[in-house]
């Protein structure tokens, strides 16, 4: 089997590529070879590689910037992804695409984890663009696989955004600066190694359709930060604030915890608790 991975240099892609090698040849693709902002380049790139499976780890993920430049998010996350799905269908390749918990958020009183059958309701331009992209992928072929995840962090960092939440917290704490972290957004930040493991398991079982893949449990970003510092033996000044006090340009879901119950039906183990995943991440980064 030949598997192409676009976004292979990112934190999720770097964890996926060595794991996907169990299926056969893995071909990493860079933006120089395929650019989702240029739909005309997509078909030629896909037909040149002719993979059996195409894994898309790339996205426009500048959530706040998308509010003032929604066309940039749509060009990549919707138009580009739709063109990619069409190109993959043209060579009978399975497309694996990653989406986000930000497709939810409109239900202001939600308190139970979202399942794959729950109606989405994004509250940001980024979330809307990702929702349209995942729908394009699913509409193109029932064999395609869309994986929603949340708050990814991995030891390779996020190239496009320059780090991840854990690294940002540790860096600011190391500078001796006080931290103010949002305490009214509840979700499940997820370790890329665990998301990669579940993705490989789903592929191995021939799964298609929509799946949620996140670590177990849930927390606010403030609680996540507090646990990062507890496990790291740090005691910086940490203050909980509201989303309104933080003042981001884009709205975030107040509750976007994702249920992973569907994984069990496909004999895929649900990822471990977020606290255990964080411990594994901190150990991995120390041993790099």
């Amino acid at each position: 089997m030949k598997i192409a991975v676009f976004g292979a240099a990112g934190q999720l892609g770097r964890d996926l590529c060595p794991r996907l090698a169990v299926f056969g040849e893995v071909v990493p693709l860079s933006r120089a070879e395929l650019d989702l902002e240029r739909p005309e380049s997509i078909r030629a790139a896909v037909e040149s590689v002719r993979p059996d499976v195409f894994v898309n780890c790339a996205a426009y993920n500048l959530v706040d910037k998308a509010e003032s430049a929604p066309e940039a998010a749509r060009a990549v996350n919707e138009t580009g992804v739709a063109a990619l799905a069409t190109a993959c269908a043209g060579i009978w390749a399975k497309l694996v695409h990653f989406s986000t918990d930000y497709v939810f958020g409109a239900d202001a009183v939600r308190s139970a984890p979202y399942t794959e059958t729950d109606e989405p309701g994004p509250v940001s331009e980024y979330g809307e663009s990702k929702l349209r992209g995942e729908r394009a992928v699913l509409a193109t072929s029932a064999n395609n696989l869309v994986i929603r995840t949340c708050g990814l962090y991995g030891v390779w960092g996020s190239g496009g955004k320059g780090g991840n939440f854990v690294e940002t917290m540790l860096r600011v704490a190391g500078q001796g600066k006080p931290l103010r972290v949002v305490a009214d957004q509840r979700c499940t930040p997820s370790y890329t190694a665990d998301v990669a493991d579940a993705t490989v398991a789903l592929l191995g079982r021939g799964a298609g359709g929509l799946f949620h893949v996140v670590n177990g449990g849930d927390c606010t970003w403030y609680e996540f930060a507090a646990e990062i510092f507890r496990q790291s033996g740090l005691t910086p000044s940490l203050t909980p604030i509201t989303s309104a006090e933080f003042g981001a340009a884009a709205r975030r879901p107040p509750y976007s915890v994702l249920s992973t119950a569907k994984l069990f039906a496909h004999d895929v183990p649900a990822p471990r608790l977020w606290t255990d995943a964080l411990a594994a991440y901190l150990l991995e980064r120390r041993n790099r």
Side-chain angles (χ1 to χ4, degrees):
M1 183 183 292
K2 181 188 287 188
I3 303 177
V5 181
F6 184 49
Q11 56 185 350
L12 178 57
R14 291 288 286 269
D15 277 331
L16 262 173
C17 284
R19 290 167 169 83
L20 290 170
V22 69
F23 298 119
E25 181 185 3
V26 177
V27 181
L29 295 176
S30 68
R31 191 172 179 183
E33 297 164 288
L34 187 154
D35 189 347
L36 290 177
E37 291 187 272
R38 294 189 300 110
E40 68 278 4
S41 75
I42 295 172
R43 178 177 232 169
V46 170
E47 291 182 348
S48 174
V49 178
R50 298 196 72 83
D52 301 290
V53 178
F54 193 107
V55 181
N56 178 38
C57 300
Y60 181 99
N61 53 18
L62 301 176
V63 179
D64 291 317
K65 189 174 180 179
E67 291 300 301
S68 58
E71 64 283 351
R74 292 172 191 164
V76 174
N77 297 340
E78 179 185 351
T79 307
V81 167
L84 177 59
T86 299
C88 287
I91 61 165
W92 301 98
K94 181 188 188 79
L95 175 58
V96 180
H97 175 68
F98 291 91
S99 191
T100 173
D101 61 312
Y102 278 28
V103 301
F104 296 110
D107 186 348
V109 297
R110 183 81 182 195
S111 60
Y114 285 100
T115 70
E116 291 83 351
T117 58
D118 282 320
E119 185 66 25
V123 293
S124 67
E125 291 288 348
Y126 165 75
E128 179 65 30
S129 71
K130 290 294 289 182
L131 177 60
R132 293 186 182 189
E134 69 176 45
R135 284 176 169 169
V137 172
L138 294 170
T140 303
S141 171
N143 188 45
N144 287 343
L145 176 62
V146 171
I147 295 173
R148 288 180 184 149
T149 188
C150 171
L152 293 178
Y153 62 94
V155 294
W156 299 104
S158 176
K161 293 192 291 186
N164 57 50
F165 183 82
V166 182
E167 296 305 319
T168 297
M169 292 297 101
L170 293 174
R171 183 182 71 253
V172 176
Q175 294 169 348
K177 298 178 181 178
L179 295 112
R180 301 166 73 244
V181 179
V182 170
D184 59 359
Q185 297 170 20
R186 184 163 293 276
C187 60
T188 310
S190 298
Y191 182 25
T192 52
D194 291 349
V195 175
D197 284 338
T199 300
V200 169
L202 284 167
L203 273 173
R205 285 155 180 77
L210 177 64
F211 285 83
H212 291 170
V213 177
V214 292
N215 282 114
D218 58 78
C219 61
T220 65
W221 292 103
Y222 169 79
E223 290 168 344
F224 189 35
E227 184 65 12
I228 291 167
F229 298 137
R230 188 191 72 79
Q231 292 194 20
S232 301
L234 301 174
T235 57
S237 172
L238 178 63
T239 303
I241 61 171
T242 65
S243 298
E245 288 175 300
F246 187 74
R251 288 177 60 195
R252 268 70 168 175
Y255 183 94
S256 58
V257 181
L258 304 180
S259 169
T260 57
K262 187 177 177 181
L263 294 175
F264 288 106
H266 288 74
D267 298 320
V268 174
R272 60 191 141 183
L273 286 171
W274 69 269
T275 49
D276 296 335
L278 173 61
Y281 171 82
L282 294 172
L283 177 62
E284 184 184 3
R285 72 187 293 275
R286 286 197 297 270
N287 293 335
R288 273 187 63 187

